[in-house]
Amino acid sequence: MSTLDRRGLWMAIGAYALWGVMPLYWHLLSAVPALQIVLHRIVWSALFVGGYLLWRDGRHWLRRTLAQPRLWWMLLLSGLLIACNWGLYIWAVNAGHVVESALGYFINPLFNVLLGVLLLRERLRPLQWLAVALAALGVLWLALQHGRLPWIALALAGSFGLYGLLRKLAHVDAVAGLGVESAYLLPPALLGLAWYALQTPGGLFAGSGAGGAALLVFGGVVTALPLVGFAYAVRRVPLATVGLLQYLSPTLQFLIGVFVFGEPFDRTRLVGFACIWLALAVFAADGLRRG
């Protein structure tokens, strides 16, 4: 592996590892309402990504990106989806549902396969059908044992899967796409923070304190940095390698939920997760064999 490839590999590992330990970061802000965290996340990531694109591509980056036909509404929809995904994820982490959130990101690759079949008319190979069936069996088991569907996991997988589908169809650079999405979300986020400033004594950083205010601001960097690293890595590392590394993130989230936050993980949950892990093993093995 060349020096450039090795650097790309470490950038990919770093991006997925940072996404994996994100519950620890948002848990530090558990005293702050999830909506307020999301609004800050949008504002500060928009400023960080906008500044990076201004340095990288010049002051006309936004006009050049939106010059492509149909791109404006696709990135508007993808921006709304990622904002919903962020909000649900932050709420779930601070409400004690890290394990179920990790389940959502374990399911996500298989949900992407289903989207390809239903919306892009892609054909599944036999092992891919087996993987989807095993994952569905695991979700059904969890629903029957706990009396409800794992809706947090399904909503996270669904919103991120649809987001990924739109970004696949949009044909835009990853960071530039995030910049446009952030530009769309910035005005309502600023209005939301202005409302918080008028309604609460602490203003923009109500309930967070000095340390929390710094964490809210730095949340924009934490949001954008792994995506910049991922965009760098995906051009230099084989997609099969990136596909396997994506499981690093939910694995770290799962371990944090069980061993750091002490969330319950009994035998019934183990059976459901085992079905989904087996599905991912079949899916990954099929991908490696085809590769």
Side-chain angles (χ1 to χ4, degrees):
M1 183 180 290
S2 68
T3 303
L4 186 60
D5 290 340
R6 191 178 299 117
R7 188 182 304 157
L9 177 64
W10 282 110
M11 290 288 275
I13 292 172
Y16 282 117
L18 191 53
W19 278 323
V21 300
M22 205 72 81
L24 296 173
Y25 190 91
W26 300 125
H27 189 70
L28 295 173
L29 291 165
S30 57
V32 182
L35 177 60
Q36 189 178 354
I37 298 174
V38 173
L39 294 175
H40 276 282
R41 188 178 188 182
I42 290 170
V43 169
W44 300 113
S45 65
L47 294 176
F48 179 80
V49 174
Y52 172 78
L53 288 168
L54 187 65
W55 168 78
R56 190 188 73 173
D57 299 334
R59 59 192 180 92
H60 298 300
W61 71 267
L62 183 60
R63 185 191 307 167
R64 285 196 298 268
T65 305
L66 290 177
Q68 302 179 51
R70 300 187 306 162
L71 195 60
W72 70 270
W73 66 263
M74 297 177 76
L75 290 177
L76 174 61
L77 288 178
S78 64
L80 293 173
L81 281 168
I82 199 62
C84 292
N85 182 273
W86 288 351
L88 177 60
Y89 179 74
I90 291 171
W91 171 84
V93 166
N94 289 338
H97 300 292
V98 175
V99 170
E100 189 171 338
S101 299
L103 176 64
Y105 292 108
F106 278 126
I107 294 172
N108 179 248
L110 300 173
F111 185 81
N112 290 340
V113 170
L114 277 181
L115 285 177
V117 172
L118 297 174
L119 300 179
L120 303 180
R121 298 182 181 179
E122 296 176 354
R123 297 175 65 87
L124 293 189
R125 298 185 291 274
L127 284 179
Q128 289 179 316
W129 276 118
L130 176 61
V132 171
L134 286 169
L137 182 63
V139 171
L140 181 62
W141 169 266
L142 291 170
L144 291 175
Q145 294 301 313
H146 293 92
R148 66 171 182 86
L149 283 171
W151 68 269
I152 296 174
L154 294 176
L156 287 172
S159 58
F160 199 70
L162 289 171
Y163 172 78
L165 176 66
L166 283 169
R167 292 300 299 270
K168 175 183 174 67
L169 297 175
H171 299 296
V172 64
D173 172 77
V175 184
L178 179 62
V180 176
E181 291 164 351
S182 300
Y184 281 132
L185 296 173
L186 183 58
L190 288 173
L191 287 175
L193 287 179
W195 180 84
Y196 265 109
L198 294 173
Q199 296 294 320
T200 54
L204 292 178
F205 301 99
S208 57
L215 289 173
L216 286 171
V217 172
F218 195 68
V221 179
V222 171
T223 296
L225 202 58
L227 186 57
V228 173
F230 176 79
Y232 176 91
V234 78
R235 297 176 182 176
R236 294 162 174 82
V237 177
L239 285 179
T241 304
V242 175
L244 289 176
L245 286 174
Q246 70 180 318
Y247 302 119
L248 174 63
S249 176
T251 300
L252 289 173
Q253 293 176 30
F254 169 78
L255 293 174
I256 288 169
V258 174
F259 295 108
V260 178
F261 296 151
E263 293 185 14
F265 190 73
D266 52 22
R267 290 183 179 180
T268 58
R269 276 195 167 192
L270 177 60
V271 171
F273 270 73
C275 289
I276 292 161
W277 288 332
L278 180 59
L280 292 174
V282 170
F283 181 72
D286 179 66
L288 286 175
R289 184 178 65 85
R290 298 284 297 183

